[in-house]
Amino acid sequence: MDDHIQIIVNSENICILTGAGISAESGIPTFRGAGGMWAKYRPEELATPEAFAANPRLVWEWYQARREAVSKAAPNPGHKALAEWEGLARSFVLVTQNVDGLHRAAGSRQVLELHGNIRRNRCTACGRESTMDEITFNGQLPLCECGGLLRPAVVWFGESLPEQVLEAAFAAVRQCDLFLTVGTSAVVYPAAALPRLALDRGVPVIEVNTEETPFSAGATYSLRGPAGEVLPPLVAAYASAPHRSRQIS
Ligand code: BV8
Ligand code: ZN
């Protein structure tokens, strides 16, 4: 049995960080890859409070276009493998940078959305949250009942991540005995600190990515390939390990 499979099979407390790459096979463009959505724009132009203050319509048009893509997207075998794995391990915490909601759609329950969720809006005046289905964006800026301007309920660059969610993510890294980083270029902080903290703790870190990343050289193992193909066999090996019975969670 390959070394990395042996390590995976013997793990009990698993923490996973996912990024845009795990949703690529669901048809959602990544940020930085070839053809990624940043190719046309730069993060600073759109995913920042300054960009929204300067040109809310442009930012809303970009998010509406992304919401279209997200609404048409379905979870792929990579999302489904992680949802299955959750029920097999003693503890399994899925931390995602993605805002597309596909992990929950695939059946994952313990999901920490570090950067929020594109399917939700938040009022810039009263803070009330609503879903994207509650508004129709016909070019008019969407307003809350209180009259305040709505924004997508995501974390922009320069904005702090939700405190409790980030705390829970760091707590999960501190108690895991295996960490996987899947489909992320590992350049956006503080999310990118999570796999590095796992390594500092001496926990094996396995990267799953179609390309080399700035993190690859430091990973315990870097598995090259699409998440939808690499993850299912890893979960199958985990499920079939003799000492593994389905965890009653
Ligand atoms: C903050 C939501 C505190 C919006 C996003 C150090 C400490 C703290 C902050 C910083 C720091 N250094 C710099 C900063 C600032 C900044 C930052 O990290 N900048 C980077 C660019 C250098 N961080 C912040 O601003 C964060 N805030 O720290 O608050 C604070 C407060 C005030 C003042 C100062 C600090 C907020 C960051 C959150 C930004 N919001 N998204 C939206 O989505 O619209 S980030 C955005 O990038 C997405 O969430 C995305 O998930 C994330 C990371 O990108 P990836 O997911 O990795 O996607 P990418 O395209 O890059 O890579 C995809 C990978 O998949 C590739 O490697 C590709 O090879 C691979 N792949 C492709 N196909 C597949 C695949 N892999 C497997 N299978 C496939 N099929
Ligand atoms: Zn309001």
Side-chain angles (χ1 to χ4, degrees):
M1 181 184 281
D2 293 340
D3 292 355
H4 68 276
I5 301 277
Q6 191 62 56
I7 286 176
I8 289 172
V9 160
N10 291 332
S11 306
E12 295 294 342
N13 302 301
I14 296 162
C15 187
I16 306 217
L17 173 68
T18 62
I22 197 168
S23 295
E25 293 156 85
S26 297
I28 298 180
T30 61
F31 286 81
R32 294 166 186 84
M37 66 181 86
W38 292 130
K40 292 189 285 298
Y41 308 98
R42 287 168 342 112
E44 301 72 30
E45 281 170 3
L46 291 169
T48 67
E50 294 75 19
F52 186 66
N55 193 340
R57 192 179 310 285
L58 173 67
V59 174
W60 261 115
E61 278 163 7
W62 182 54
Y63 277 93
Q64 280 305 108
R66 289 175 60 193
R67 282 178 167 183
E68 295 276 306
V70 164
S71 309
K72 290 192 197 101
N76 65 55
H79 296 107
K80 290 176 186 163
L82 297 185
E84 184 195 341
W85 202 350
E86 180 175 5
L88 297 169
R90 177 176 309 142
S91 74
F92 187 94
V93 179
L94 177 49
V95 185
T96 188
Q97 301 170 91
N98 298 342
V99 296
D100 56 33
L102 288 181
H103 283 304
R104 284 220 175 80
S108 290
R109 288 173 304 168
Q110 173 73 322
V111 182
L112 298 174
E113 292 179 320
L114 292 181
H115 297 159
N117 188 315
I118 199 169
R119 299 166 188 254
R120 302 188 59 73
N121 317 302
R122 187 173 67 245
C123 176
T124 56
C126 72
R128 198 174 80 80
E129 290 226 350
S130 53
T131 67
M132 69 187 216
D133 303 326
E134 291 175 55
I135 61 166
T136 43
F137 180 71
N138 44 20
Q140 297 301 322
L141 290 175
L143 301 179
C144 172
E145 287 148 14
C146 79
L149 177 58
L150 295 182
R151 59 167 281 178
V154 298
V155 178
W156 282 328
F157 287 98
E159 293 187 320
S160 301
L161 278 60
E163 191 100 9
Q164 288 87 338
V165 177
L166 189 57
E167 269 307 301
F170 277 103
V173 178
R174 282 194 291 270
Q175 60 90 29
C176 72
D177 57 8
L178 174 68
F179 192 100
L180 269 80
T181 167
V182 180
T184 180
S185 54
V187 297
V188 172
Y189 282 81
L194 296 169
R196 293 167 169 94
L197 172 62
L199 278 178
D200 293 347
R201 282 194 55 231
V203 169
V205 178
I206 296 174
E207 177 183 57
V208 176
N209 200 304
T210 44
E211 296 164 17
E212 190 162 331
T213 73
F215 184 76
S216 301
T220 316
Y221 296 96
S222 188
L223 307 181
R224 199 63 67 244
E229 288 171 26
V230 172
L231 290 175
L234 301 185
V235 178
Y238 193 84
S240 58
H243 60 290
R244 177 87 47 227
S245 57
R246 237 184 131 58
Q247 302 278 336
I248 314 296
S249 45

Short mmCIF file of all heavy atoms in Angstrom, two decimals, residues 88-145:
data_model
loop_
_atom_site.label_atom_id
_atom_site.label_comp_id
_atom_site.label_asym_id
_atom_site.label_seq_id
_atom_site.Cartn_x
_atom_site.Cartn_y
_atom_site.Cartn_z
N LEU A 88 -17.15 8.66 8.04
CA LEU A 88 -16.30 7.50 8.34
C LEU A 88 -15.25 7.80 9.41
O LEU A 88 -14.76 6.89 10.07
CB LEU A 88 -15.55 7.08 7.06
CG LEU A 88 -16.41 6.61 5.88
CD1 LEU A 88 -15.57 6.49 4.62
CD2 LEU A 88 -17.06 5.27 6.21
N ALA A 89 -14.93 9.07 9.60
CA ALA A 89 -13.81 9.40 10.51
C ALA A 89 -14.34 9.73 11.90
O ALA A 89 -15.52 10.10 12.05
CB ALA A 89 -13.04 10.60 9.96
N ARG A 90 -13.47 9.64 12.90
CA ARG A 90 -13.90 9.98 14.26
C ARG A 90 -14.26 11.47 14.29
O ARG A 90 -15.32 11.86 14.74
CB ARG A 90 -12.81 9.68 15.29
CG ARG A 90 -13.26 10.11 16.72
CD ARG A 90 -12.27 9.77 17.81
NE ARG A 90 -11.84 8.38 17.77
CZ ARG A 90 -10.57 8.03 18.03
NH1 ARG A 90 -9.67 8.95 18.29
NH2 ARG A 90 -10.23 6.76 18.00
N SER A 91 -13.35 12.32 13.75
CA SER A 91 -13.74 13.73 13.57
C SER A 91 -13.27 14.17 12.19
O SER A 91 -12.22 13.71 11.71
CB SER A 91 -13.13 14.63 14.65
OG SER A 91 -11.76 14.81 14.40
N PHE A 92 -14.09 15.01 11.56
CA PHE A 92 -13.83 15.41 10.17
C PHE A 92 -14.31 16.85 10.02
O PHE A 92 -15.50 17.12 10.15
CB PHE A 92 -14.60 14.50 9.22
CG PHE A 92 -14.28 14.71 7.76
CD1 PHE A 92 -13.30 13.95 7.13
CD2 PHE A 92 -14.94 15.68 7.01
CE1 PHE A 92 -13.00 14.13 5.78
CE2 PHE A 92 -14.64 15.88 5.67
CZ PHE A 92 -13.67 15.11 5.06
N VAL A 93 -13.36 17.77 9.85
CA VAL A 93 -13.74 19.18 9.71
C VAL A 93 -13.33 19.66 8.32
O VAL A 93 -12.16 19.57 7.94
CB VAL A 93 -13.07 20.05 10.79
CG1 VAL A 93 -13.47 21.52 10.60
CG2 VAL A 93 -13.47 19.57 12.19
N LEU A 94 -14.34 20.13 7.57
CA LEU A 94 -14.10 20.61 6.21
C LEU A 94 -14.11 22.14 6.23
O LEU A 94 -15.13 22.77 6.50
CB LEU A 94 -15.21 20.08 5.29
CG LEU A 94 -15.22 20.52 3.84
CD1 LEU A 94 -13.87 20.37 3.17
CD2 LEU A 94 -16.26 19.72 3.07
N VAL A 95 -12.93 22.72 6.01
CA VAL A 95 -12.79 24.18 5.97
C VAL A 95 -12.71 24.58 4.51
O VAL A 95 -11.90 24.01 3.77
CB VAL A 95 -11.49 24.62 6.69
CG1 VAL A 95 -11.39 26.13 6.76
CG2 VAL A 95 -11.41 24.00 8.09
N THR A 96 -13.59 25.49 4.08
CA THR A 96 -13.53 25.86 2.67
C THR A 96 -13.38 27.37 2.48
O THR A 96 -13.89 28.16 3.29
CB THR A 96 -14.76 25.35 1.88
OG1 THR A 96 -14.54 25.59 0.48
CG2 THR A 96 -16.05 26.05 2.33
N GLN A 97 -12.62 27.72 1.45
CA GLN A 97 -12.49 29.13 1.05
C GLN A 97 -13.58 29.45 0.03
O GLN A 97 -13.79 30.61 -0.32
CB GLN A 97 -11.13 29.38 0.41
CG GLN A 97 -9.96 29.07 1.32
CD GLN A 97 -8.66 29.11 0.54
OE1 GLN A 97 -8.00 30.14 0.45
NE2 GLN A 97 -8.29 27.97 -0.04
N ASN A 98 -14.23 28.41 -0.46
CA ASN A 98 -15.21 28.59 -1.53
C ASN A 98 -16.50 29.18 -0.98
O ASN A 98 -16.86 28.96 0.17
CB ASN A 98 -15.51 27.25 -2.22
CG ASN A 98 -14.26 26.68 -2.87
OD1 ASN A 98 -13.29 27.41 -3.10
ND2 ASN A 98 -14.26 25.39 -3.14
N VAL A 99 -17.15 29.94 -1.83
CA VAL A 99 -18.40 30.61 -1.43
C VAL A 99 -19.59 30.02 -2.19
O VAL A 99 -20.70 30.52 -2.09
CB VAL A 99 -18.28 32.14 -1.69
CG1 VAL A 99 -17.20 32.75 -0.83
CG2 VAL A 99 -18.01 32.43 -3.17
N ASP A 100 -19.34 28.90 -2.92
CA ASP A 100 -20.37 28.38 -3.83
C ASP A 100 -21.38 27.44 -3.16
O ASP A 100 -22.37 27.06 -3.79
CB ASP A 100 -19.71 27.67 -5.04
CG ASP A 100 -18.74 26.54 -4.62
OD1 ASP A 100 -19.00 25.88 -3.58
OD2 ASP A 100 -17.73 26.33 -5.31
N GLY A 101 -21.15 27.02 -1.93
CA GLY A 101 -22.14 26.19 -1.23
C GLY A 101 -22.20 24.75 -1.71
O GLY A 101 -23.08 23.98 -1.30
N LEU A 102 -21.27 24.32 -2.57
CA LEU A 102 -21.36 22.97 -3.15
C LEU A 102 -21.01 21.86 -2.15
O LEU A 102 -21.47 20.74 -2.29
CB LEU A 102 -20.47 22.86 -4.39
CG LEU A 102 -21.00 23.62 -5.62
CD1 LEU A 102 -20.06 23.43 -6.81
CD2 LEU A 102 -22.41 23.16 -6.00
N HIS A 103 -20.23 22.15 -1.13
CA HIS A 103 -19.94 21.09 -0.13
C HIS A 103 -21.23 20.71 0.60
O HIS A 103 -21.53 19.53 0.78
CB HIS A 103 -18.90 21.59 0.88
CG HIS A 103 -17.49 21.59 0.34
ND1 HIS A 103 -16.88 20.47 -0.17
CD2 HIS A 103 -16.58 22.58 0.26
CE1 HIS A 103 -15.66 20.77 -0.56
NE2 HIS A 103 -15.43 22.05 -0.31
N ARG A 104 -21.99 21.67 1.02
CA ARG A 104 -23.25 21.38 1.72
C ARG A 104 -24.23 20.71 0.75
O ARG A 104 -24.90 19.75 1.10
CB ARG A 104 -23.88 22.68 2.28
CG ARG A 104 -23.20 23.19 3.52
CD ARG A 104 -24.18 23.74 4.56
NE ARG A 104 -23.46 24.09 5.79
CZ ARG A 104 -22.78 25.22 5.96
NH1 ARG A 104 -22.77 26.12 4.98
NH2 ARG A 104 -22.11 25.47 7.07
N ALA A 105 -24.22 21.16 -0.50
CA ALA A 105 -25.12 20.55 -1.50
C ALA A 105 -24.73 19.08 -1.71
O ALA A 105 -25.59 18.25 -2.03
CB ALA A 105 -25.02 21.30 -2.82
N ALA A 106 -23.46 18.73 -1.48
CA ALA A 106 -23.01 17.34 -1.67
C ALA A 106 -23.31 16.50 -0.43
O ALA A 106 -23.12 15.29 -0.43
CB ALA A 106 -21.51 17.32 -1.95
N GLY A 107 -23.75 17.13 0.66
CA GLY A 107 -24.09 16.38 1.86
C GLY A 107 -23.14 16.59 3.02
O GLY A 107 -23.35 16.05 4.11
N SER A 108 -22.08 17.38 2.82
CA SER A 108 -21.19 17.65 3.96
C SER A 108 -21.94 18.47 5.00
O SER A 108 -22.71 19.38 4.65
CB SER A 108 -19.96 18.44 3.50
OG SER A 108 -19.13 17.61 2.69
N ARG A 109 -21.74 18.16 6.30
CA ARG A 109 -22.49 18.90 7.31
C ARG A 109 -21.59 19.81 8.14
O ARG A 109 -21.91 20.95 8.41
CB ARG A 109 -23.22 17.90 8.23
CG ARG A 109 -24.40 17.23 7.48
CD ARG A 109 -25.01 16.15 8.30
NE ARG A 109 -23.96 15.19 8.65
CZ ARG A 109 -24.17 14.25 9.57
NH1 ARG A 109 -25.33 14.16 10.20
NH2 ARG A 109 -23.23 13.40 9.87
N GLN A 110 -20.41 19.31 8.53
CA GLN A 110 -19.49 20.12 9.34
C GLN A 110 -18.62 20.93 8.38
O GLN A 110 -17.50 20.55 8.05
CB GLN A 110 -18.66 19.16 10.21
CG GLN A 110 -17.52 19.80 11.00
CD GLN A 110 -18.00 20.62 12.19
OE1 GLN A 110 -19.02 21.29 12.10
NE2 GLN A 110 -17.27 20.58 13.27
N VAL A 111 -19.17 22.05 7.86
CA VAL A 111 -18.45 22.85 6.86
C VAL A 111 -18.19 24.24 7.44
O VAL A 111 -19.11 24.92 7.92
CB VAL A 111 -19.29 23.01 5.57
CG1 VAL A 111 -18.52 23.81 4.52
CG2 VAL A 111 -19.69 21.64 5.01
N LEU A 112 -16.94 24.66 7.42
CA LEU A 112 -16.60 26.01 7.89
C LEU A 112 -16.33 26.88 6.66
O LEU A 112 -15.33 26.68 5.97
CB LEU A 112 -15.36 25.95 8.80
CG LEU A 112 -15.52 25.13 10.09
CD1 LEU A 112 -14.18 25.04 10.82
CD2 LEU A 112 -16.58 25.73 11.01
N GLU A 113 -17.25 27.82 6.40
CA GLU A 113 -17.11 28.68 5.20
C GLU A 113 -16.34 29.94 5.61
O GLU A 113 -16.92 30.92 6.11
CB GLU A 113 -18.50 29.04 4.65
CG GLU A 113 -19.22 27.83 4.05
CD GLU A 113 -20.62 28.17 3.51
OE1 GLU A 113 -21.34 28.95 4.15
OE2 GLU A 113 -20.97 27.65 2.44
N LEU A 114 -15.02 29.90 5.39
CA LEU A 114 -14.16 31.00 5.86
C LEU A 114 -14.51 32.32 5.17
O LEU A 114 -14.36 33.39 5.77
CB LEU A 114 -12.69 30.69 5.56
CG LEU A 114 -12.02 29.56 6.33
CD1 LEU A 114 -10.56 29.45 5.88
CD2 LEU A 114 -12.10 29.78 7.84
N HIS A 115 -14.90 32.24 3.89
CA HIS A 115 -15.08 33.47 3.12
C HIS A 115 -16.55 33.76 2.83
O HIS A 115 -16.85 34.53 1.93
CB HIS A 115 -14.29 33.39 1.81
CG HIS A 115 -12.81 33.29 2.03
ND1 HIS A 115 -11.96 32.80 1.07
CD2 HIS A 115 -12.04 33.59 3.10
CE1 HIS A 115 -10.71 32.82 1.54
NE2 HIS A 115 -10.73 33.29 2.78
N GLY A 116 -17.43 33.16 3.60
CA GLY A 116 -18.87 33.44 3.44
C GLY A 116 -19.50 32.60 2.34
O GLY A 116 -18.96 31.58 1.93
N ASN A 117 -20.65 33.08 1.86
CA ASN A 117 -21.45 32.28 0.91
C ASN A 117 -22.10 33.21 -0.11
O ASN A 117 -22.85 34.11 0.24
CB ASN A 117 -22.52 31.51 1.71
CG ASN A 117 -23.24 30.52 0.83
OD1 ASN A 117 -23.62 30.87 -0.29
ND2 ASN A 117 -23.40 29.31 1.30
N ILE A 118 -21.78 32.97 -1.39
CA ILE A 118 -22.24 33.86 -2.46
C ILE A 118 -23.76 33.80 -2.62
O ILE A 118 -24.37 34.71 -3.23
CB ILE A 118 -21.54 33.48 -3.79
CG1 ILE A 118 -21.62 34.64 -4.80
CG2 ILE A 118 -22.11 32.20 -4.38
CD1 ILE A 118 -20.74 34.47 -6.01
N ARG A 119 -24.40 32.76 -2.08
CA ARG A 119 -25.86 32.63 -2.26
C ARG A 119 -26.62 33.52 -1.26
O ARG A 119 -27.84 33.53 -1.25
CB ARG A 119 -26.27 31.17 -2.04
CG ARG A 119 -25.63 30.19 -3.03
CD ARG A 119 -25.79 28.75 -2.55
NE ARG A 119 -25.02 27.81 -3.36
CZ ARG A 119 -25.59 26.98 -4.24
NH1 ARG A 119 -26.88 26.98 -4.42
NH2 ARG A 119 -24.84 26.15 -4.96
N ARG A 120 -25.87 34.21 -0.39
CA ARG A 120 -26.56 35.04 0.62
C ARG A 120 -26.19 36.51 0.44
O ARG A 120 -25.12 36.83 -0.06
CB ARG A 120 -26.15 34.57 2.03
CG ARG A 120 -26.45 33.08 2.29
CD ARG A 120 -26.23 32.68 3.74
NE ARG A 120 -27.08 33.47 4.64
CZ ARG A 120 -28.39 33.29 4.75
NH1 ARG A 120 -28.99 32.36 4.04
NH2 ARG A 120 -29.09 34.04 5.56
N ASN A 121 -27.14 37.38 0.84
CA ASN A 121 -26.88 38.83 0.83
C ASN A 121 -26.81 39.31 2.27
O ASN A 121 -27.32 38.67 3.18
CB ASN A 121 -28.04 39.60 0.16
CG ASN A 121 -28.55 38.92 -1.09
OD1 ASN A 121 -27.79 38.70 -2.02
ND2 ASN A 121 -29.83 38.52 -1.08
N ARG A 122 -26.19 40.50 2.46
CA ARG A 122 -26.22 41.12 3.79
C ARG A 122 -26.48 42.62 3.58
O ARG A 122 -25.92 43.22 2.66
CB ARG A 122 -24.92 40.89 4.55
CG ARG A 122 -24.98 41.39 6.00
CD ARG A 122 -23.74 41.01 6.81
NE ARG A 122 -22.54 41.68 6.34
CZ ARG A 122 -21.51 41.03 5.81
NH1 ARG A 122 -21.57 39.70 5.69
NH2 ARG A 122 -20.45 41.68 5.41
N CYS A 123 -27.31 43.20 4.45
CA CYS A 123 -27.60 44.63 4.33
C CYS A 123 -26.44 45.43 4.90
O CYS A 123 -25.99 45.18 6.03
CB CYS A 123 -28.89 44.96 5.09
SG CYS A 123 -29.25 46.73 5.09
N THR A 124 -25.97 46.42 4.14
CA THR A 124 -24.83 47.24 4.61
C THR A 124 -25.26 48.21 5.71
O THR A 124 -24.42 48.79 6.39
CB THR A 124 -24.25 48.07 3.43
OG1 THR A 124 -25.32 48.84 2.88
CG2 THR A 124 -23.64 47.17 2.37
N ALA A 125 -26.59 48.35 5.88
CA ALA A 125 -27.05 49.30 6.92
C ALA A 125 -27.43 48.57 8.20
O ALA A 125 -26.86 48.82 9.26
CB ALA A 125 -28.24 50.11 6.39
N CYS A 126 -28.35 47.56 8.08
CA CYS A 126 -28.85 46.93 9.33
C CYS A 126 -28.25 45.55 9.54
O CYS A 126 -28.46 44.93 10.59
CB CYS A 126 -30.39 46.83 9.29
SG CYS A 126 -31.00 45.60 8.11
N GLY A 127 -27.51 45.02 8.55
CA GLY A 127 -26.84 43.74 8.74
C GLY A 127 -27.71 42.51 8.51
O GLY A 127 -27.25 41.38 8.56
N ARG A 128 -29.02 42.73 8.21
CA ARG A 128 -29.92 41.58 8.01
C ARG A 128 -29.45 40.74 6.82
O ARG A 128 -29.00 41.28 5.80
CB ARG A 128 -31.35 42.10 7.72
CG ARG A 128 -32.46 41.06 7.92
CD ARG A 128 -33.85 41.67 7.74
NE ARG A 128 -34.19 41.80 6.32
CZ ARG A 128 -34.63 40.77 5.58
NH1 ARG A 128 -34.73 39.56 6.11
NH2 ARG A 128 -34.93 40.93 4.32
N GLU A 129 -29.50 39.42 6.98
CA GLU A 129 -29.10 38.53 5.89
C GLU A 129 -30.33 38.05 5.14
O GLU A 129 -31.42 37.92 5.71
CB GLU A 129 -28.32 37.33 6.46
CG GLU A 129 -26.94 37.70 6.99
CD GLU A 129 -25.83 36.74 6.53
OE1 GLU A 129 -26.15 35.67 5.97
OE2 GLU A 129 -24.65 37.08 6.75
N SER A 130 -30.16 37.80 3.85
CA SER A 130 -31.24 37.25 3.01
C SER A 130 -30.60 36.33 1.98
O SER A 130 -29.38 36.27 1.87
CB SER A 130 -31.98 38.41 2.31
OG SER A 130 -31.05 39.24 1.63
N THR A 131 -31.45 35.61 1.23
CA THR A 131 -30.87 34.70 0.23
C THR A 131 -30.91 35.37 -1.15
O THR A 131 -31.70 36.30 -1.37
CB THR A 131 -31.69 33.39 0.12
OG1 THR A 131 -32.97 33.74 -0.42
CG2 THR A 131 -31.83 32.74 1.49
N MET A 132 -30.09 34.84 -2.05
CA MET A 132 -30.02 35.45 -3.39
C MET A 132 -31.36 35.32 -4.11
O MET A 132 -31.71 36.16 -4.94
CB MET A 132 -28.90 34.81 -4.21
CG MET A 132 -29.13 33.38 -4.62
SD MET A 132 -27.62 32.73 -5.41
CE MET A 132 -28.35 31.70 -6.64
N ASP A 133 -32.16 34.31 -3.71
CA ASP A 133 -33.46 34.13 -4.40
C ASP A 133 -34.46 35.20 -3.98
O ASP A 133 -35.50 35.36 -4.62
CB ASP A 133 -34.02 32.73 -4.07
CG ASP A 133 -33.02 31.65 -4.48
OD1 ASP A 133 -32.32 31.87 -5.50
OD2 ASP A 133 -32.88 30.64 -3.77
N GLU A 134 -34.15 35.90 -2.90
CA GLU A 134 -35.13 36.91 -2.42
C GLU A 134 -34.99 38.23 -3.19
O GLU A 134 -35.74 39.16 -2.96
CB GLU A 134 -34.92 37.17 -0.91
CG GLU A 134 -35.31 35.99 -0.02
CD GLU A 134 -34.96 36.27 1.45
OE1 GLU A 134 -35.41 37.32 1.98
OE2 GLU A 134 -34.22 35.46 2.03
N ILE A 135 -33.95 38.29 -4.04
CA ILE A 135 -33.81 39.56 -4.78
C ILE A 135 -33.74 39.26 -6.27
O ILE A 135 -33.33 38.20 -6.69
CB ILE A 135 -32.52 40.33 -4.38
CG1 ILE A 135 -31.26 39.51 -4.70
CG2 ILE A 135 -32.55 40.72 -2.91
CD1 ILE A 135 -29.98 40.34 -4.65
N THR A 136 -34.21 40.22 -7.04
CA THR A 136 -34.00 40.09 -8.50
C THR A 136 -33.10 41.27 -8.87
O THR A 136 -33.41 42.42 -8.54
CB THR A 136 -35.34 40.26 -9.27
OG1 THR A 136 -36.03 41.36 -8.68
CG2 THR A 136 -36.17 38.99 -9.17
N PHE A 137 -31.98 40.95 -9.50
CA PHE A 137 -31.06 42.03 -9.88
C PHE A 137 -31.33 42.37 -11.35
O PHE A 137 -30.94 41.64 -12.25
CB PHE A 137 -29.61 41.57 -9.69
CG PHE A 137 -28.60 42.63 -10.05
CD1 PHE A 137 -28.44 43.76 -9.27
CD2 PHE A 137 -27.86 42.52 -11.23
CE1 PHE A 137 -27.53 44.76 -9.62
CE2 PHE A 137 -26.94 43.51 -11.58
CZ PHE A 137 -26.79 44.62 -10.79
N ASN A 138 -32.07 43.44 -11.57
CA ASN A 138 -32.33 43.82 -12.98
C ASN A 138 -31.59 45.12 -13.28
O ASN A 138 -32.14 46.05 -13.86
CB ASN A 138 -33.85 43.99 -13.17
CG ASN A 138 -34.42 44.79 -12.00
OD1 ASN A 138 -33.63 45.48 -11.32
ND2 ASN A 138 -35.70 44.67 -11.75
N GLY A 139 -30.35 45.16 -12.73
CA GLY A 139 -29.57 46.36 -13.01
C GLY A 139 -29.77 47.40 -11.93
O GLY A 139 -28.90 48.24 -11.69
N GLN A 140 -30.95 47.32 -11.22
CA GLN A 140 -31.15 48.26 -10.08
C GLN A 140 -30.39 47.71 -8.88
O GLN A 140 -30.45 46.50 -8.63
CB GLN A 140 -32.64 48.33 -9.70
CG GLN A 140 -33.54 48.87 -10.80
CD GLN A 140 -33.12 50.28 -11.22
OE1 GLN A 140 -32.73 51.10 -10.37
NE2 GLN A 140 -33.13 50.54 -12.51
N LEU A 141 -29.73 48.55 -8.15
CA LEU A 141 -29.01 48.07 -6.96
C LEU A 141 -30.01 47.51 -5.95
O LEU A 141 -30.99 48.19 -5.64
CB LEU A 141 -28.20 49.22 -6.34
CG LEU A 141 -27.00 49.67 -7.18
CD1 LEU A 141 -26.34 50.88 -6.56
CD2 LEU A 141 -25.99 48.54 -7.33
N PRO A 142 -29.80 46.28 -5.46
CA PRO A 142 -30.76 45.66 -4.53
C PRO A 142 -30.73 46.34 -3.16
O PRO A 142 -29.65 46.59 -2.61
CB PRO A 142 -30.29 44.21 -4.45
CG PRO A 142 -28.89 44.20 -4.91
CD PRO A 142 -28.67 45.40 -5.76
N LEU A 143 -31.93 46.65 -2.66
CA LEU A 143 -32.03 47.33 -1.36
C LEU A 143 -32.74 46.45 -0.34
O LEU A 143 -33.57 45.62 -0.68
CB LEU A 143 -32.80 48.65 -1.52
CG LEU A 143 -32.21 49.67 -2.50
CD1 LEU A 143 -33.09 50.93 -2.56
CD2 LEU A 143 -30.77 50.04 -2.13
N CYS A 144 -32.41 46.66 0.91
CA CYS A 144 -33.05 45.97 2.04
C CYS A 144 -34.39 46.65 2.33
O CYS A 144 -34.62 47.79 1.91
CB CYS A 144 -32.11 46.09 3.24
SG CYS A 144 -32.77 45.53 4.80
N GLU A 145 -35.23 45.96 3.13
CA GLU A 145 -36.51 46.61 3.51
C GLU A 145 -36.23 47.92 4.24
O GLU A 145 -37.03 48.85 4.20
CB GLU A 145 -37.30 45.68 4.46
CG GLU A 145 -37.91 44.48 3.76
CD GLU A 145 -37.96 43.26 4.69
OE1 GLU A 145 -37.78 43.44 5.90
OE2 GLU A 145 -38.17 42.16 4.16
#
